């Protein structure tokens, strides 16, 4: 793909550093999220994937570097600017995070009632359209406790697209789903991204499903980017860490055994 056809980034991370006290999670992290594409963030547990989503949403602030959303740096934004930026973002939390005392309809209507002055008639039409997009218009009067986990995730997705955001972030959207629900969720992410013309960032450990829907994959490790590219390019990578992750190998740069004395040292020890 030449420079003239390369999608411009909606999100840019430039030499971003973040940590908790002396514990550095991300160090000099740099990568782009191309506009209009599905970008997957992958890597071993604790590698900083969800932290990146929280940084994009402004829940936490980087200690160094820049995080640009449509050209504006999120890090120094005040409350009013940050809230305006967040209205252009949707978030699908790991287990949906629906309001349990509200109906499916009211869960999806919530951001419209909070952030717009639309009439209830117009809100009703929008909510039904969003629920129809995820196949759940008929479940509008049910409570979260009356639907399955997979359906809850789809309701949460309808809520995430209620305000027609430019960016949707998905935190482990496939976690805990049966194969049918998982496949449905994956196809919805891809279909909504294309039909709505939005940009998606998907944090996931599910290599097969994620590689099926992603245009671009970024693998995080040791606080930085271990590798990035198309799913096909990463499957073919000879880098030991990427090869181990993509092919689910039990041993490699990420060891199976926790550091310990040698077996001889351990078994030959005698009480003093």
């Amino acid at each position: 793909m030449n420079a003239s056809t390369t999608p411009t980034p909606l999100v840019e991370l430039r030499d971003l550093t973040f940590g908790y006290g002396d514990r550095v999670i991300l160090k000099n992290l740099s990568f782009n999220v191309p506009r209009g594409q599905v970008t997957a963030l992958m890597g071993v547990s604790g590698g900083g994937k969800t932290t990146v989503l929280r940084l994009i949403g402004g829940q936490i602030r980087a200690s160094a570097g820049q995080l640009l959303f449509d050209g504006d740096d999120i890090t120094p934004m005040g409350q009013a600017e940050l809230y305006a930026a967040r209205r252009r973002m949707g978030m699908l939390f790991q287990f949906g995070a629906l309001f349990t005392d509200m109906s499916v309809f009211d869960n999806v209507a919530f951001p419209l009632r909070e952030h717009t002055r639309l009439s209830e008639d117009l809100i009703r039409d929008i909510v039904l359209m969003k629920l129809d997009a995820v196949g759940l218009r008929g479940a509008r009067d049910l409570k979260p406790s009356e639907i399955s986990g997979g359906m809850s995730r789809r309701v949460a997705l309808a809520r995430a697209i209620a305000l027609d955001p430019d960016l949707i972030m998905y935190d482990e959207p496939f976690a805990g789903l049966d194969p049918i629900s998982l496949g449905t969720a994956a196809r919805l992410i891809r279909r909504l991204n294309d039909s709505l013309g939005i940009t998606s960032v998907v944090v996931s450990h599910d290599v097969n499903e994620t590689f099926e829907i992603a245009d671009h994959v970024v693998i995080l490790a040791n606080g930085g980017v271990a590798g990035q590219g198309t799913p096909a390019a990463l499957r073919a990578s000879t880098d030991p860490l990427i090869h181990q992750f993509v092919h689910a190998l039990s041993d490699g740069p990420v060891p199976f055994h926790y550091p310990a004395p040698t077996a001889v040292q351990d078994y030959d020890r005698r009480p003093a």
Side-chain angles (χ1 to χ4, degrees):
M1 188 177 287
N2 60 46
S4 62
T5 59
T6 301
T8 57
L10 179 63
V11 178
E12 300 176 69
L13 283 74
R14 298 179 177 175
D15 297 318
L16 207 68
T17 295
F18 174 81
Y20 296 100
D22 294 332
R23 181 174 169 238
V24 177
I25 307 298
L26 305 169
K27 185 174 182 180
N28 299 327
L29 179 66
S30 296
F31 68 86
N32 294 338
V33 176
R35 195 182 301 266
Q37 293 190 1
V38 176
T39 295
L41 290 183
M42 309 191 79
V44 298
S45 297
K49 302 178 296 298
T50 299
T51 297
V52 169
L53 298 189
R54 296 178 67 198
L55 286 163
I56 295 172
Q59 292 173 275
I60 53 179
R61 307 293 180 109
S63 57
Q66 291 182 300
L67 197 159
L68 305 182
F69 175 67
D70 204 14
D72 296 321
D73 191 357
I74 292 286
T75 304
M77 282 184 177
Q79 189 177 68
E81 289 179 291
L82 183 58
Y83 282 7
R86 283 178 177 170
R87 282 193 287 272
R88 299 175 58 196
M89 304 176 188
M91 180 72 188
L92 181 69
F93 298 95
Q94 186 168 344
F95 294 105
L98 298 179
F99 298 112
T100 56
D101 58 340
M102 292 184 182
S103 67
V104 164
F105 180 96
D106 287 332
N107 265 280
V108 180
F110 183 82
L112 293 164
R113 290 168 174 159
E114 283 290 307
H115 297 295
T116 75
R117 296 182 179 180
L118 299 175
S119 68
E120 280 298 314
D121 285 343
L122 189 51
I123 287 175
R124 181 181 184 277
D125 290 344
I126 293 172
V127 170
L128 294 181
M129 284 191 293
K130 302 304 181 183
L131 285 172
D132 196 54
V134 300
L136 292 176
R137 180 164 48 86
R140 60 184 176 271
D141 296 324
L142 300 178
K143 290 288 183 67
S145 61
E146 298 174 305
I147 60 179
S148 69
M151 292 170 69
S152 293
R153 212 73 59 89
R154 286 153 63 190
V155 172
L157 180 51
R159 182 178 63 184
I161 63 173
L163 292 171
D164 294 324
D166 297 311
L167 172 71
I168 298 185
M169 294 178 282
Y170 301 83
D171 191 6
E172 294 288 358
F174 311 133
L177 297 183
D178 63 80
I180 295 174
S181 297
L182 193 155
T184 299
R187 287 190 294 274
L188 267 174
I189 291 171
R190 182 75 255 182
R191 181 162 62 86
L192 290 173
N193 190 88
D194 296 341
S195 62
L196 299 178
I198 57 180
T199 301
S200 302
V201 177
V202 181
V203 165
S204 175
H205 288 102
D206 193 296
V207 172
N208 291 330
E209 287 293 343
T210 304
F211 274 32
E212 283 295 316
I213 64 170
D215 299 295
H216 184 69
V217 180
V218 179
I219 296 181
L220 302 180
N222 302 317
V225 176
Q228 61 179 313
T230 65
L234 292 178
R235 284 192 190 277
S237 174
T238 58
D239 179 276
L241 179 70
I242 296 173
H243 183 79
Q244 182 187 7
F245 181 82
V246 169
H247 298 282
L249 303 179
S250 61
D251 216 348
V254 180
F256 172 73
H257 286 285
Y258 191 82
T262 67
V264 171
Q265 290 173 321
D266 255 353
Y267 293 122
D268 278 356
R269 284 177 180 165
R270 297 289 186 268

